């Protein structure tokens, strides 16, 4: 069942097209992620779906209800965790949730139990009477998630839920998100600019300059730009198809990689038509028979970052904090210094 449907969604802020003819569906039970750099239009899209912004044109439906004409119906089904913290620092964790529960007219007898249940779910029950100002960044995020869950949403929207957290706390938040998805059967719609975060999702829509440039399961997105390959470093010998590949039909190509460093090794990329982990033992045993000396062998896989680069010609975080894209700055500096070579920029499709 489709729980979110967007068709040709557009949001303009005066001249600026923040969301540019976006079309996608989210199935019930999915963890769906919008992946894109700063300013791509992620928060704007979420705000439209949560009935906070009116779309300029196009259609957005949540559980079949139109965000424009039936916003109250839509709100019944959703919980939101915003990009910026909306908690009151001077209240305790419990008091914060009680405030929002009252705001949403939750009856007094249900309130206490519900708040304790969700505080328990995000492991904050034992800290419920501490002031939020004494919470760590990760705890505040968890309390935000608890707030988003107060009214039993069927879809939880999370806008950059792990922004500014360290790796350990980010992983912990994902654990909660995955648990909510599995155990509470909540559909998750999240935005992120972290590659690894998008990897855990069932479906990823990559968004750039308001446009969706690719949408699929992370595995499929990566498969579309190429499969995994084996990278080999040799300290002795030359890796050619004759030296190693004779009879190894699964090797489709061997690409020598130029080394610019002082390293005394030769690196090769071996493209294979079977899973790389199955190819490795064969390559090593055949190579050793042919007197090659291996220094290292590893499997390399395309990442979602590679997918983004393939489509846009630049990296996801090639942007400074003021929003100016680093590749533009780099190009300008290189032009100024008369050095334009070495700048890698693939043509936008
Ligand atoms: N209320 C607003 N008024 C004017 N421009 C806005 C507003 N909100 C967002 N924008 C612009 O729309 C674009 C998309 O912003 P946003 O959706 O916040 O991106 P993201 O969440 O992907 O970083 C940006 O260029 C941003 O500056
Ligand atoms: Mg945002």
């Amino acid at each position: 069942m489709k729980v979110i449907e967007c068709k040709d969604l557009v949001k303009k802020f005066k001249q600026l097209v923040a969301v540019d003819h976006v079309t996608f569906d989210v199935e019930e039970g999915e963890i769906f992620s919008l992946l894109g750099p700063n300013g791509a239009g992620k928060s704007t899209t979420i705000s439209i779906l949560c009935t906070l912004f009116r779309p300029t044109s196009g259609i957005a439906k949540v559980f079949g209800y139109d965000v424009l004409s039936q916003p109250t119906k839509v709100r019944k089904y959703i919980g939101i965790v915003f990009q910026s913290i909306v908690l009151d620092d001077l209240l305790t964790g419990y008091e914060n949730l009680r405030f929002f529960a009252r705001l949403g007219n939750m009856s007094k007898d249900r309130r206490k139990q519900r708040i304790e249940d969700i505080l328990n779910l995000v492991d904050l029950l034992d800290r419920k009477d501490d002031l939020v100002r004494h919470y760590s960044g990760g705890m505040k995020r968890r309390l935000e998630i608890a707030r988003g869950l107060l009214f039993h949403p069927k879809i939880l929207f999370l806008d950059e839920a792990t922004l500014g957290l360290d790796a350990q706390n980010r992983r912990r938040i994902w654990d909660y998100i995955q648990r909510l998805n599995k155990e509470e059967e909540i559909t998750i719609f999240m935005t992120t600019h972290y590659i690894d975060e998008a990897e855990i999702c069932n479906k990823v829509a990559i968004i750039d300059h308001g446009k969706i440039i690719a949408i699929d399961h992370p595995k499929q997105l990566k498969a579309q730009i190429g499969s995994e390959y084996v990278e080999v470093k040799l300290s002795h010998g030359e890796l050619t198809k004759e030296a190693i590949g004779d009879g190894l039909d699964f090797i489709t190509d061997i690409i020598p990689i130029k080394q610019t460093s002082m390293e005394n090794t030769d690196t090769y990329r071996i493209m294979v038509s079977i899973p790389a982990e199955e190819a490795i033992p064969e390559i090593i045993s055949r190579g050793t028979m042919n007197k090659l000396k291996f220094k290292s062998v590893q499997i390399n896989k395309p990442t979602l970052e590679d997918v983004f680069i393939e489509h846009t010609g630049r990296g996801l975080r090639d942007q400074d904090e003021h929003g100016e894209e680093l590749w533009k700055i780099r190009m300008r500096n290189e032009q100024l210094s008369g050095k334009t070579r070495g700048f890698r920029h693939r043509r936008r499709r």
Side-chain angles (χ1 to χ4, degrees):
M1 181 194 171
K2 285 179 186 146
V3 291
I4 299 176
E5 295 164 80
C6 286
K7 200 154 180 259
D8 258 340
L9 205 60
V10 175
K11 178 67 185 177
K12 289 184 185 165
F13 296 109
K14 294 193 180 134
Q15 309 291 2
L16 183 104
V17 187
V19 176
D20 195 354
H21 297 275
V22 158
T23 299
F24 64 83
D25 297 328
V26 179
E27 293 286 330
E28 184 161 29
E30 260 179 354
I31 301 183
F32 181 98
S33 129
L34 266 187
L35 171 72
N38 281 333
K42 303 181 297 294
S43 296
T44 307
T45 306
I46 272 207
S47 300
I48 295 173
L49 292 172
C50 294
T51 75
L52 301 172
F53 282 168
R54 298 169 64 86
T56 308
S57 64
I59 295 171
K61 286 182 180 172
V62 175
F63 274 91
Y65 297 113
D66 190 281
V67 294
L68 261 184
S69 58
Q70 299 162 296
T72 336
K73 288 258 169 48
V74 171
R75 282 181 209 142
K76 264 194 186 160
Y77 289 94
I78 64 174
I80 320 169
V81 179
F82 295 102
Q83 190 170 331
S84 47
I85 306 264
V86 298
L87 301 163
D88 190 333
D89 254 16
L90 297 173
L91 297 179
T92 66
Y94 186 91
E95 287 165 344
N96 262 283
L97 295 186
R98 191 178 58 193
F99 170 76
F100 287 102
R102 276 183 182 157
L103 206 65
N105 284 329
M106 189 182 286
S107 66
K108 202 174 170 190
D109 45 322
R110 275 184 51 222
R111 223 184 279 155
K112 187 164 181 289
Q113 189 61 49
R114 180 61 186 158
I115 292 175
E116 288 190 353
D117 284 351
I118 46 176
L119 280 172
N120 191 29
L121 194 72
V122 296
D123 285 338
L124 282 176
L125 195 54
D126 55 339
R127 303 291 300 270
K128 75 184 170 76
D129 296 323
D130 292 2
L131 293 182
V132 167
R133 62 192 289 198
H134 296 143
Y135 278 17
S136 68
M139 289 165 70
K140 284 185 190 169
R141 281 284 161 192
R142 270 144 58 202
L143 188 60
E144 283 279 355
I145 292 178
R147 185 189 52 75
L149 293 171
L150 257 181
F151 296 96
H152 300 275
K154 289 203 176 301
I155 306 175
L156 186 64
F157 288 91
L158 297 147
D159 196 6
E160 310 249 8
T162 61
L163 199 72
L165 297 183
D166 59 36
Q168 198 183 352
N169 273 307
R170 286 174 55 210
R171 206 153 305 134
R172 204 156 166 207
I173 299 281
W174 303 346
D175 286 345
Y176 290 115
I177 293 173
Q178 284 174 304
R179 244 175 66 197
L180 288 172
N181 176 249
K182 274 213 183 71
E183 292 170 18
E184 313 279 313
E185 298 178 359
I186 297 175
T187 304
I188 306 287
F189 185 105
M190 55 181 247
T191 74
T192 185
H193 63 269
Y194 293 121
I195 297 292
D196 45 0
E197 215 154 272
E199 295 273 0
I200 63 162
C201 299
N202 307 111
K203 210 198 271 173
V204 176
I206 301 182
I207 185 168
D208 188 36
H209 296 300
K211 285 196 173 75
I212 296 213
I213 53 176
I215 181 166
D216 212 328
H217 188 280
K219 257 199 190 133
Q220 261 85 48
L221 283 175
K222 289 180 283 183
Q224 282 158 17
I225 64 158
S227 54
E228 56 184 20
Y229 55 86
V230 181
E231 194 168 289
V232 166
K233 283 190 201 303
L234 291 186
S235 50
H236 177 76
E238 193 183 346
L239 190 61
T240 60
K241 213 153 181 191
E242 293 71 44
I244 188 176
D246 217 18
L248 296 187
D249 293 342
F250 58 78
I251 294 182
T252 56
D253 204 2
I254 298 177
I255 306 164
I257 307 292
K258 274 212 170 69
Q259 293 286 5
T260 47
S261 67
M262 305 292 281
E263 236 182 307
N264 201 14
T265 55
D266 290 319
T267 304
Y268 299 87
R269 191 169 288 184
I270 307 176
M271 314 308 285
V272 290
S273 61
I274 60 170
E277 58 181 24
E278 288 171 28
I280 285 178
E282 301 255 11
I283 291 171
I284 293 179
S285 73
R286 184 66 69 93
T288 311
M289 254 164 54
N290 288 294
K291 310 235 168 357
L292 300 180
K293 278 216 174 78
F294 291 92
K295 192 170 180 221
S296 72
V297 179
Q298 65 180 38
I299 300 175
N300 279 350
K301 298 179 182 190
T303 63
L304 287 175
E305 178 91 26
D306 296 325
V307 178
F308 189 81
I309 292 171
E310 178 75 16
H311 284 280
T312 66
R314 58 181 215 284
L316 257 170
R317 267 177 300 283
D318 281 2
Q319 213 171 37
D320 74 349
E321 57 189 278
H322 306 295
E324 189 172 9
E325 291 169 38
L326 279 186
W327 67 270
K328 283 186 198 156
I329 300 170
R330 216 182 299 147
M331 188 156 72
R332 192 181 56 216
N333 290 346
E334 284 177 1
Q335 276 167 350
L336 283 175
S337 65
K339 187 181 78 183
T340 45
R341 282 184 56 200
F343 173 70
R344 196 165 62 111
H345 177 227
R346 278 183 236 169
R347 199 156 37 90
R348 180 188 291 267
R349 290 201 186 141

